Amino acid sequence: MLKDQAMSVVFDGTPLKAMQSSHTHKPQTALSAQERSQEIKSFISGVDTVQGRKLSVREHARCAVRLLRSVPACRGAVLEHLRGVYDEHVSIFLHNLETEHDTSSGVSSNLEDIIQEVHGVLSEFIRLNPRAWAPLVSAWAVDLLGQLSSKHAGRRVAPHSSSLNELLQLWMSCAATRSLMEAYSQCLAAMLAWCPDACVDALLDTSVQHSPHFDWVVAHIGSAFPGTIISRVLACGLKDFCSHGAKDQGVLVMGLDKGSRVPKIGSVVGILGHLAVHHSDSIRKELLRMFQESLSPSSPLSPTSSSTSWESSPQLRRAAVPFLLQLAAMSPNLFGAVSAELVELLCPPVLLQLQAVLQGLPREELENMLGLAVHLISQSPSGGSRVLRFLADTATPASVIISGPTPSPHEGVREGCDRLLQMLLLHLHKLVFNRSDGAEVNAHHPASSQPQRVIPFLEELQSHIGELCAETLRLERKRHLWLHQLLCLLSVYGGPSVATEALCQLLTQARNPEELALAWQLHTTLSSCMAGLIPAAVARCVAQIHTHTLSPRQLRQLLLNLATAIQSQDEERRGAAGVQCYMATQVGAAVSGNLHDFGPLLIHGDPAVSHAAVRLLSCSPLPRTSSPAHLLLLSRAAVTHFFLALRRRGEVEKAARDGGQAGEAVNSSVLLLARFAAYSPLTLKAVLQQLVEGALHKGNADLFGGQIADMSGAPVVSPSVSPDLGASLVDINCRFGTTVNFSGSVWSVFHAGVIGKGLKVRTATKLPDPSGVIQNVQTLLAVVVQCCSSSGLNGPINCSRPSSDPDEPAPINAEAAKVVAVTLVENVCPDVANGELSWPPEEHARTTVERDIHIRRCFEAHPVLFPLLQVVAAGRPALCYCSAVLRGLLATLLAHWEASREVLSTDSPWHLQASCLLVSCMGEGQLLPPVLANVHEAFPHLTPFEVRLLLLAVWEYVRGNGPMPQKFVFNSDKGLFCRDFSRDGDVARYVAPIHSVLHKNIDRLGHLCWRFQL
């Protein structure tokens, strides 16, 4: 009996507590020595020693279970035999699934109870004596799972190995494989406290041998023990990596030999990849912990640390960084999980520790690691912008001030990052220009049809074009060169869309010529492989303007940069810079093609944007052809901007601020209007019309010293001064001429006030700044004269002759002056017919009293009318078309001087000035001969009655010699239309009143007698 008990000794010599416990748990009759001997013989021979027949599979399995209970020393042979039993059960299980439980097949499973019995025995042994049974059972179970998975992987009902969930459901529904999985889990749970490496090593070895059919086991075990599996898998992989040598890992990067040199690393990648689905956070933390522990100084083991912990081995600590790099290279998912936080960890102290670790590596191994790091960065699907910023900040020389709290790195660290960044750029350059993946080009499969290799690093950077351009424009030493080179590679990789976006961003963000030069350098580099970049970039800028994606500051900078590029064209031509001149020409052509899109920016709410827009349009070439609608919109926007610029200039001067920019905006606006006027007859007519209408508009009248007038021409009373009359009907009646119009009849209606309210209140209007008014009037006349001197409406008969004197102003174009004249008449007196050129007798003026008063009030409210008449007079015979306005104004002046009871004409200053300016304009326009055109010189020295006599002589002359354009003949020598007064009647009879007045006032007018000689 003692001999039998001695057989019940386990490998480590401990007594068979499991056997005794098993008997108490499941009461059975103890086998005698003879019975045990018979069981052993039957198990070995497979024949029943009592009956002499062959044992069935079921009977043989029960014999093995009895031996396992009674003779644990036979457990190796018993477990080996049970492999066949489990295999038989799995085969029958899969066969039943394939035949859909067809009873006619004759195959049935009677081994499930045997499987359950074996599982119960093993579970009890592991529970009572884990140190003896757990290592053996775990190795047996995981190896058997691997064999079964690989053997039956090709069965029809077995899902593909990539369908992990379906594969897991299939095997976990089988009693045999489920029993093995539970046994292994129980062993692993028991071994965690004292020997986890053995269990994990068995899992890794089996995974290497039976992958990928074994992946479902790894996935299930890892989900049950994520913390343990992740840390132990990494530790085992590190040990295997170190034992095989880090130099062999370089082959794995290219994917040439994934299993022969370092078997376990592929399994480590597979296991972590499966666990990353639900435990990515744990994997990330463990990888980062391994990296940090490998850099920190060695420390004594804690009481809970195992003797096999990799942290206690200097060799393993040195190999940790190369091991992690290799893992990341084999699994992009693992690298993506840690790359973001890894960059945050690389602070200067950690970088110094990393440098200290890497310095101890051989040069060849260090080169391999740098190449591997470059490969990882280029294949990084996310976090590329952060990695790039870290490398650029760290590699930037210490003499360059880096924005932000980043301290200056150690010189050795800086040189290392510098080298890494240069290797990355070189590697990206090779990848970008060899993206066809070595495919041969032939007639049937051109290179363009080959799928191009994706570069994840550049793919991710495409969404950070704006940030990359902003960093490039910082112009820091070496840094902007690296980023500009990367920007070129990114543009080539991404194609025209990315290149266009990059060029557009540089044009938008550049703040000075040096920064703008980077855009032209990018275009020069890309123009060899891409055509039409500048037009596409300008079109993209226009699209951003339409979608309002640019802030006012960005929009202003974009317009100024485009203007700078176009304006540099002349300078570059003088400097013989062919390439840049060509680019400037392209920019000008692109802006010219989209001129109507930039036009609305002239009236942008931000003055800085409108100023930049007018600067751009004033220097950009005009298109050869354009639709009339676009031309009219551009002209209207340009004229509106002109008046806005005048108002802003006045506001700046009133605020005593620097008005340089405001003055420049006015000058650019004048230049733009002159260019538009010279473009075509349509634009000339539109610009002149809108200039005159704008100058007389109530919103701009104060700019030129005018007052807001109602329809009758009378100044509008301010609402704060005018009393509330209380009735809308009375309010309408107070507006003279709005309800009843007697123009052209013998009736005239005058409104002097309201009965019971007294006379109309003549409010004292606030006079504008005289200096500002004079400046605005001069600017308006300058732009009108400049437009009228252009060749937009010049025909072959009235082309301006080239002036021999460069200081002599160009003559006013007759047709342009006619446009101004017609516009003046339409705005001052809209009801005048175009054919009213001849003058009636002075007595007949009473039939147009109402209209004449309206004309006079317009001249009173808008002092700018007289300067505009002078411009019209200079473009003979355009003043003829203002005949009705001149006649109405002269009629009111005659009525005033006739009714005046003042001693001298100077007592009526406005009427005196109006009389002088009127006669002067008529003389300049050659509606009067010289002897009559000079009469205004005597007006200040005469009485009102005498002024009327002289004006009456002017009226009679014009009535007798009507102001007809047909009386003017073009003088080719002067380039002007002139009138031959000798063809008219005798002038002497019109001069008699003048001579009479001269004789009467000879003491005061003697010095003017020579001006009135015939």
Side-chain angles (χ1 to χ4, degrees):
M1 190 66 181
L2 293 175
K3 183 178 179 180
D4 295 339
Q5 292 293 337
M7 296 177 62
S8 301
V9 177
V10 292
F11 288 121
D12 59 351
T14 57
L16 185 59
K17 298 179 181 178
M19 183 66 188
Q20 299 170 358
S21 176
S22 176
H23 288 175
T24 59
H25 177 70
K26 193 172 182 180
Q28 290 185 358
T29 305
L31 297 178
S32 63
Q34 184 179 1
E35 290 174 340
R36 284 197 296 270
S37 177
Q38 292 177 355
E39 291 289 347
I40 291 174
K41 291 179 181 178
S42 298
F43 173 74
I44 294 175
S45 63
V47 178
D48 190 348
T49 57
V50 177
Q51 301 180 2
R53 60 180 179 82
K54 185 177 180 180
L55 297 175
S56 63
V57 175
R58 179 182 179 81
E59 293 172 341
H60 204 167
R62 286 198 174 277
C63 178
V65 172
R66 288 193 296 270
L67 280 179
L68 188 62
R69 289 179 180 275
S70 59
V71 190
C74 301
R75 57 186 175 182
V78 171
L79 292 177
E80 187 66 28
H81 173 76
L82 290 177
R83 288 177 181 266
V85 176
Y86 276 75
D87 182 49
E88 179 70 17
H89 179 270
V90 170
S91 299
I92 296 174
F93 171 76
L94 295 178
H95 180 78
N96 290 337
L97 290 179
E98 290 172 347
T99 59
E100 297 181 358
H101 302 282
D102 187 1
T103 57
S104 62
S105 62
V107 179
S108 61
S109 175
N110 296 319
L111 301 177
E112 188 166 349
D113 56 340
I114 300 297
I115 298 296
Q116 294 177 357
E117 188 174 352
V118 171
H119 177 72
V121 173
L122 294 178
S123 177
E124 187 70 14
F125 286 168
I126 295 170
R127 184 181 66 83
L128 295 177
N129 195 357
R131 289 185 178 271
W133 286 93
L136 177 65
V137 174
S138 65
W140 170 77
V142 76
D143 183 60
L144 182 55
L145 282 172
Q147 291 181 2
L148 294 176
S149 300
S150 298
K151 179 180 178 180
H152 299 285
R155 299 291 289 265
R156 179 167 56 87
V157 294
H160 192 268
S161 58
S162 61
S163 303
L164 195 60
N165 292 330
E166 298 178 7
L167 201 62
L168 186 61
Q169 292 178 3
L170 171 69
W171 290 121
M172 291 304 290
S173 63
C174 177
T177 52
R178 185 173 65 252
S179 172
L180 292 173
M181 184 69 75
E182 293 175 357
Y184 179 79
S185 300
Q186 185 179 4
C187 294
L188 181 58
M191 296 172 65
L192 285 180
W194 49 275
C195 186
D197 287 347
C199 201
V200 176
D201 280 340
L203 184 67
L204 291 178
D205 292 338
T206 308
S207 177
V208 171
Q209 184 178 358
H210 297 287
S211 181
H213 311 297
F214 188 71
D215 290 347
W216 69 274
V217 178
V218 179
H220 183 76
I221 296 298
S223 300
F225 305 93
T228 301
I229 290 297
I230 292 172
S231 60
R232 302 318 304 175
V233 162
L234 286 175
C236 294
L238 175 59
K239 293 177 181 179
D240 189 68
F241 178 86
C242 188
S243 63
H244 285 80
K247 293 183 181 180
D248 296 336
Q249 309 309 313
V251 183
L252 297 178
V253 178
M254 304 305 296
L256 301 177
D257 188 0
K258 286 194 175 183
S260 61
R261 294 182 178 269
V262 187
K264 290 186 179 179
I265 195 168
S267 181
V268 170
V269 171
I271 293 173
L272 295 180
H274 291 309
L275 296 179
V277 178
H278 299 290
H279 305 282
S280 60
D281 190 59
S282 299
I283 295 176
R284 175 181 54 81
K285 291 180 180 179
E286 190 61 32
L287 290 174
L288 293 176
R289 188 192 68 84
M290 176 174 280
F291 174 75
Q292 291 176 307
E293 290 292 335
S294 66
L295 298 182
S296 60
S298 301
S299 58
L301 293 176
S302 61
T304 59
S305 300
S306 63
S307 59
T308 57
S309 177
W310 66 271
E311 292 93 336
S312 61
S313 173
Q315 183 181 5
L316 292 179
R317 293 168 68 91
R318 286 195 301 269
V321 173
F323 170 70
L324 292 175
L325 280 176
Q326 186 61 49
L327 279 182
M330 297 180 65
S331 176
N333 293 333
L334 295 180
F335 179 65
V338 300
S339 60
E341 290 195 20
L342 184 60
V343 174
E344 299 295 334
L345 285 177
L346 294 177
C347 55
V350 175
L351 289 175
L352 289 176
Q353 294 175 356
L354 181 61
Q355 182 192 15
V357 172
L358 298 181
Q359 281 179 346
L361 298 178
R363 182 178 181 85
E364 181 181 357
E365 187 174 348
L366 188 58
E367 290 292 334
N368 291 338
M369 285 187 59
L370 287 177
L372 188 57
V374 168
H375 171 79
L376 285 175
I377 296 174
S378 65
Q379 298 302 317
S380 173
S382 62
S385 60
R386 301 176 66 180
V387 174
L388 178 63
R389 179 183 289 273
F390 164 75
L391 291 177
D393 288 344
T394 311
T396 302
S399 59
V400 177
I401 300 176
I402 304 176
S403 61
T406 306
S408 179
H410 187 268
E411 186 63 23
V413 175
R414 189 199 65 77
E415 292 178 357
C417 284
D418 188 342
R419 185 177 181 187
L420 182 62
L421 191 54
Q422 293 182 6
M423 291 178 63
L424 175 63
L425 292 175
L426 179 61
H427 182 66
L428 291 175
H429 187 276
K430 294 178 181 179
L431 292 179
V432 167
F433 290 97
N434 294 280
R435 280 192 296 158
S436 59
D437 206 10
E440 296 183 0
V441 180
N442 53 57
H444 301 285
H445 300 283
S448 60
S449 63
Q450 299 294 334
Q452 293 185 335
R453 183 184 304 170
V454 176
I455 306 175
F457 179 74
L458 295 181
E459 285 285 341
E460 198 264 342
L461 281 184
Q462 289 185 19
S463 60
H464 299 276
I465 289 291
E467 301 172 11
L468 186 59
C469 291
E471 290 292 324
T472 306
L473 292 174
R474 288 168 59 179
L475 295 180
E476 294 178 351
R477 189 180 64 171
K478 298 184 77 172
R479 180 191 185 94
H480 81 279
L481 298 178
W482 297 326
L483 298 180
H484 192 271
Q485 184 179 353
L486 181 62
L487 199 59
C488 294
L489 293 175
L490 188 60
S491 300
V492 175
Y493 174 79
S497 61
V498 176
T500 301
E501 172 67 15
L503 194 58
C504 180
Q505 288 288 344
L506 291 177
L507 288 174
T508 303
Q509 299 185 28
R511 293 163 295 182
N512 52 58
E514 291 77 14
E515 295 180 0
L516 188 59
L518 292 178
W520 309 138
Q521 293 175 15
L522 178 66
H523 175 264
T524 303
T525 305
L526 300 178
S527 58
S528 59
C529 56
M530 298 181 191
L533 276 183
I534 288 182
V538 173
R540 187 176 184 86
C541 294
V542 170
Q544 291 182 345
I545 293 174
H546 287 316
T547 55
H548 303 285
T549 56
L550 298 178
S551 65
R553 184 187 62 80
Q554 292 175 326
L555 182 56
R556 169 186 173 273
Q557 195 63 56
L558 170 64
L559 299 176
L560 291 179
N561 288 337
L562 292 175
T564 302
I566 297 175
Q567 288 174 340
S568 63
Q569 182 175 350
D570 296 335
E571 300 176 3
E572 290 162 356
R573 283 175 179 173
R574 290 193 295 268
V579 177
Q580 294 185 2
C581 182
Y582 172 70
M583 289 189 296
T585 304
Q586 280 192 315
V587 174
V591 173
S592 176
N594 296 275
L595 211 60
H596 59 280
D597 296 303
F598 292 101
L601 298 178
L602 292 171
I603 52 177
H604 194 275
D606 191 339
V609 174
S610 61
H611 179 205
V614 74
R615 180 177 170 185
L616 172 62
L617 296 182
S618 62
C619 66
S620 62
L622 298 177
R624 293 187 177 181
T625 58
S626 184
S627 66
H630 289 164
L631 293 177
L632 292 176
L633 288 175
L634 283 172
S635 301
R636 184 171 296 278
V639 172
T640 304
H641 176 269
F642 170 74
F643 291 109
L644 290 175
L646 290 181
R647 186 171 297 281
R648 288 168 186 157
R649 182 177 66 178
E651 294 173 353
V652 169
E653 291 177 353
K654 285 182 180 179
R657 297 196 302 265
D658 183 14
Q661 186 175 0
E664 182 184 354
V666 173
N667 296 334
S668 299
S669 184
V670 171
L671 177 60
L672 177 62
L673 290 174
R675 297 185 71 231
F676 278 170
Y679 179 70
S680 69
L682 175 63
T683 55
L684 174 58
K685 184 176 181 180
V687 168
L688 290 176
Q689 284 181 341
Q690 292 161 12
L691 279 174
V692 175
E693 292 174 357
L696 301 179
H697 189 269
K698 62 182 180 181
N700 302 323
D702 60 317
L703 293 174
F704 308 101
Q707 303 172 5
I708 303 176
D710 60 11
M711 294 183 64
S712 65
V716 175
V717 180
S718 174
S720 60
V721 178
S722 176
D724 185 9
L725 300 180
S728 60
L729 181 60
V730 177
D731 181 59
I732 293 176
N733 291 334
C734 287
R735 299 176 186 176
F736 169 64
T738 58
T739 54
V740 182
N741 187 5
F742 296 101
S743 177
S745 69
V746 296
W747 301 98
S748 295
V749 178
F750 298 95
H751 177 67
V754 179
I755 298 175
K757 299 292 184 179
L759 295 176
K760 282 199 312 182
V761 180
R762 302 292 292 184
T763 58
T765 58
K766 182 179 179 181
L767 296 178
D769 180 23
S771 61
V773 170
I774 294 174
Q775 186 181 18
N776 292 337
V777 171
Q778 290 176 347
T779 305
L780 175 66
L781 293 181
V783 68
V784 172
V785 170
Q786 197 168 353
C787 293
C788 291
S789 301
S790 62
S791 58
L793 287 174
N794 286 344
I797 189 173
N798 60 341
C799 292
S800 301
R801 62 179 180 85
S803 176
S804 58
D805 186 4
D807 296 332
E808 181 181 349
I812 301 297
N813 182 278
E815 292 295 328
K818 179 181 177 182
V819 172
V820 177
V822 173
T823 307
L824 278 176
V825 173
E826 290 177 351
N827 283 271
V828 172
C829 192
D831 59 344
V832 172
N834 293 330
E836 295 186 31
L837 299 183
S838 59
W839 286 36
E842 190 267 338
E843 304 84 40
H844 291 180
R846 66 191 63 178
T847 61
T848 58
V849 170
E850 183 180 340
R851 188 179 73 181
D852 296 343
I853 292 177
H854 172 79
I855 293 174
R856 179 182 60 81
R857 286 177 173 173
C858 283
F859 274 86
E860 287 180 345
H862 300 283
V864 75
L865 284 174
F866 282 112
L868 290 176
L869 278 180
Q870 292 174 343
V871 175
V872 174
R876 297 187 291 265
L879 194 60
C880 297
Y881 299 97
C882 294
S883 178
V885 174
L886 299 177
R887 184 175 69 244
L889 179 58
L890 184 54
T892 58
L893 292 175
L894 286 172
H896 170 77
W897 295 121
E898 182 180 13
S900 176
R901 295 298 178 262
E902 303 292 341
V903 178
L904 294 175
S905 61
T906 53
D907 295 329
S908 300
W910 186 89
H911 296 84
L912 176 61
Q913 182 185 20
S915 302
C916 294
L917 291 175
L918 178 61
V919 175
S920 175
C921 288
M922 296 176 68
E924 177 67 22
Q926 293 191 348
L927 299 186
L928 298 175
V931 66
L932 290 178
N934 298 329
V935 296
H936 67 279
E937 299 178 13
F939 287 168
H941 308 284
L942 303 178
T943 62
F945 177 74
E946 293 170 335
V947 172
R948 179 184 180 278
L949 289 178
L950 299 186
L951 289 178
L952 192 58
V954 170
W955 181 289
E956 292 298 329
Y957 178 85
V958 177
R959 186 181 69 82
N961 303 276
M964 299 298 176
Q966 296 82 358
K967 295 184 178 181
F968 292 79
V969 179
F970 183 72
N971 188 333
S972 58
D973 295 334
K974 296 181 179 180
L976 296 173
F977 283 90
C978 298
R979 179 177 178 179
D980 187 5
F981 290 99
S982 61
R983 297 184 179 181
D984 296 335
D986 185 15
V987 186
R989 64 189 183 96
Y990 303 106
V991 181
I994 300 175
H995 289 167
S996 175
V997 172
L998 285 175
H999 292 161
K1000 181 180 179 182
N1001 301 280
I1002 193 64
D1003 56 333
R1004 288 176 294 167
L1005 302 178
H1007 63 286
L1008 297 177
C1009 291
W1010 67 276
R1011 301 280 288 167
F1012 304 100
Q1013 295 180 1
L1014 296 177

